[in-house]
Amino acid sequence: MKKYICIPCGYIYDPAEGDPDGGIAPGTAFEDIPDDWVCPICGVGKDDFEVVEE
């Protein structure tokens, strides 16, 4: 699964870790996160994330 980076703040969503504090279980693909989820650091929506090229 791909990692995604928040453009405004640099937070990286790693599917292996999820976002437990935000209610996202480890192993959850970015595409499967609810549309109302926001960055845990700066609060922007999923539209402000892009794929991390490895």
Side-chain angles (χ1 to χ4, degrees), residues 8-42:
C9 77
Y11 168 80
I12 294 181
Y13 175 77
D14 183 347
E17 297 176 12
D19 176 23
D21 293 339
I24 308 301
T28 303
F30 188 80
E31 296 82 9
D32 295 333
I33 296 173
D35 289 336
D36 61 353
W37 178 83
V38 295
C39 175
I41 305 298
C42 70

